[in-house]
Amino acid sequence: MSALQTLAAAGSVTGSLGSLGYGLAAIGPGVGVGIIFGNGTQALARQPEAAGLIRANQILGFAFCEALALIGLVMPFVYGT
């Protein structure tokens, strides 16, 4: 396939590219949530007496990660054409 054919095929993409962008951007919060709960589980295994503090910090970190994901979901609708 020549470069001209590749550009023509890329130009024929229809639909909202914001959806594609959000799909790629959702990887970040997904990884963040995995890291939060993975490290939280390790912390609970090492210091079970600090369960309340660790759990509170986990929930706070989870809320921040999910807020980023929700903002990313809304932005294609706000700035879309």
Side-chain angles (χ1 to χ4, degrees):
M1 182 178 264
S2 71
L4 186 58
Q5 289 173 333
T6 304
L7 287 175
S12 66
V13 174
T14 60
S16 175
L17 292 179
S19 301
L20 179 65
Y22 173 69
L24 293 174
I27 294 171
V31 170
V33 168
I35 290 172
I36 288 168
F37 285 107
N39 289 338
T41 302
Q42 287 181 1
L44 284 170
R46 292 176 188 216
Q47 292 184 336
E49 67 275 2
L53 180 62
I54 294 169
R55 191 170 296 119
N57 287 333
Q58 276 183 318
I59 292 171
L60 187 63
F62 174 75
F64 286 142
C65 282
E66 287 302 311
L68 289 175
L70 290 175
I71 289 170
L73 178 65
V74 171
M75 285 303 119
F77 295 111
V78 172
Y79 294 113
T81 56

